[in-house]
Structures are given as structure tokens and as C-alpha cells.
Amino acid sequence: MHAEELAKTIDHTLLRADATAHDVERLCREAARYHFAAVCVFPHYVPLADGLLKRADVKVCTVISFPFGADDLRAKVAAAQDAIGKGADELDVVFNLPAMLSGEFGYVRDELAAVVRAVRLKSVNTGRGHALVKAIIETCYLSNKMKRLACTILGQAGVDFAKTSTGLGPQGATLQDVELLRDCLDEHIGVKASGGIRTLTDVELMINAGATRIGTSAGVAIMQEALGQREERSSSALPS
């Protein structure tokens, strides 16, 4: 994969509790430099990121009901609409994990579908086009049977992506989970792998397993590794 294509799989992520506006500014400069797919920041920083990336080919992503998905539906809808109104192009929405683990599958589906509908309507009304909704299912807490059921729920709710992890659970993305999600989801729903992805090899393995987006805070290091390898290959091809 060319470095330019690799960059467009990466959501350059900053979701640390101690993240400052200065950190977000640096994140956006890095994203614009490497032409990442998106930056992923807390809702508080959406207006800042939107302003900094107005002229860049980088989307603004934020998280909703992060990290447990246990907020009231009205709060989720209001937060999603507010984020779109302030400049978000993509939303990573944590589905209701406690409800899922309690067997309230219909509730999880209906709640997520309501958020998706609210996002679609708000994005049309604000003229931002199709805002992507990526549902975070936190695979480390789910059995394989529950992961398959989650895929069915996500398909019925109308999301654009299934995302493996928040990055705050006891385990992040695994190749097995990415493969399972890719096999179970409708082909029009993408897979975003996140959590513990820090090297070029990690990214390549996740993409080969079926992921088309990668959430990572190590995007710069990954791109430097990719560009360094490309330069090495180019140098080795030169005549001696």
C-alpha cells in the first residue's frame, strides 16, 4: 500500500483526559501534513479542529457517549446533533454496552437507530452532507456470539462503520475480531480497528484482516515508518 493510501485509513486520535487545546492544534497540523482521513477529538474540541482543518483534506471526528455508551438516549441525540452543528463530519458512537450485556438487544438497536436518524437529519439541515456514524462495540467485553449479534444490530441501525474498541478497555483491536466483524457485517458497513495499534505492521495486519479505518494515536510514527521504508526501497533501486 502506498503511503498516501495508508494515510487515508488513519483516524489521528487524541482522547486523553489531559489533552489540551495546544495538543489538538498539534494534532491537526500533523493530520494536515500527512493527509490523514480524520482527526478524532473530544466534543469540546470540535469547533477548534473544524476551524484549523477548513482548508485541509482531513475530516473532523468526535466521540459520543464515550466510553461506556450508557448515557440517556436524549443526551446521546443532543450530543450528536450538537457535534454536527459545531463542525463534526464523523461520529464514533459507543453503543449501549451495559444494555447489550444485559440482553436488552432491541433497546440497543432502537437507541442506536435513533442516533443515526438524528445525525442524518442534522447533517442534511446543516449542509455538511453525509456524516459518518461509527458504532463502537467494545469487543473485549463481548463473546463471539455477542459480537455476531452486535453486527446484526449495527446493520439494522444503519451505521456506516463498526469500530472495535474505545481504546480504554482491557484489550483493544485483535485480528480475530476484525476478521469476525468483516465476515458478519454487510459489505457496505466498514470496519474500524482501534486500540493498541502503534506500528506499520499493526496497521497492515488490520487492513489485511478487513479494516478500512484505523484509530490510533501513533499516526505520525506509523507514517514516518512507512515513508522511511519507501525511501529505503527507492534508494535500493538506484543503480550503483
Side-chain angles (χ1 to χ4, degrees):
M1 176 180 288
H2 294 297
E4 295 81 3
E5 296 172 320
L6 174 69
K8 283 304 180 189
T9 69
I10 293 175
D11 287 358
H12 196 30
T13 302
L14 179 62
L15 296 173
R16 297 195 324 264
D18 62 346
T20 66
H22 178 72
D23 294 327
V24 172
E25 290 169 0
R26 182 175 64 251
L27 185 87
C28 291
R29 287 196 301 270
E30 293 168 346
R33 176 183 177 187
Y34 289 103
H35 304 280
F36 290 132
V39 296
C40 188
V41 298
F42 288 124
H44 176 70
Y45 290 125
V46 166
L48 174 61
D50 181 52
L52 292 170
L53 294 170
K54 282 290 188 185
R55 299 182 180 180
D57 59 341
V58 180
K59 301 296 186 182
V60 176
C61 176
T62 193
V63 287
I64 302 297
S65 198
F66 188 84
F68 304 122
D71 295 310
D72 179 80
L73 173 58
R74 289 172 294 180
K76 290 183 179 182
V77 167
Q81 291 174 326
D82 185 63
I84 296 296
K86 290 181 176 176
D89 305 291
E90 304 182 359
L91 302 180
D92 285 11
V93 181
V94 187
F95 86 160
N96 199 318
L97 183 62
M100 184 73 180
L101 294 173
S102 298
E104 301 173 54
F105 307 129
Y107 180 85
V108 174
R109 178 200 61 215
D110 293 346
E111 182 184 76
L112 188 55
V115 173
V116 171
R117 286 195 299 272
V119 169
R120 299 285 184 255
L121 182 60
K122 185 67 175 182
S123 59
V124 169
N125 288 342
T126 57
R128 298 192 70 87
H130 181 85
L132 295 182
V133 176
K134 309 186 202 101
I136 307 175
I137 66 173
E138 200 69 291
T139 50
C140 63
Y141 292 111
L142 304 178
S143 66
N144 285 344
K145 181 178 180 180
M146 292 280 271
K147 292 166 194 171
R148 294 187 183 95
L149 180 56
C151 289
T152 299
I153 288 172
L154 267 54
Q156 293 173 346
V159 305
D160 301 289
F161 275 82
K163 180 178 173 181
T164 60
S165 320
T166 62
L168 298 182
Q171 186 178 38
T174 68
L175 293 176
Q176 293 77 14
D177 283 343
V178 171
E179 290 171 349
L180 184 152
L181 295 180
R182 184 62 279 154
D183 287 343
C184 293
L185 291 164
D186 292 340
E187 61 180 17
H188 68 277
I189 301 177
V191 176
K192 177 177 173 179
S194 65
I197 302 171
R198 298 199 163 276
T199 68
L200 178 60
T201 297
D202 292 338
V203 173
E204 290 173 339
L205 288 171
M206 291 296 173
I207 291 173
N208 289 338
T212 53
R213 282 287 187 98
I214 305 295
T216 179
S217 59
V220 171
I222 290 166
M223 289 305 300
Q224 288 174 342
E225 187 180 356
L227 291 167
Q229 288 188 9
R230 185 173 70 175
E231 290 171 0
E232 288 175 7
R233 288 194 295 268
S234 298
S235 298
S236 64
L238 293 174
S240 56

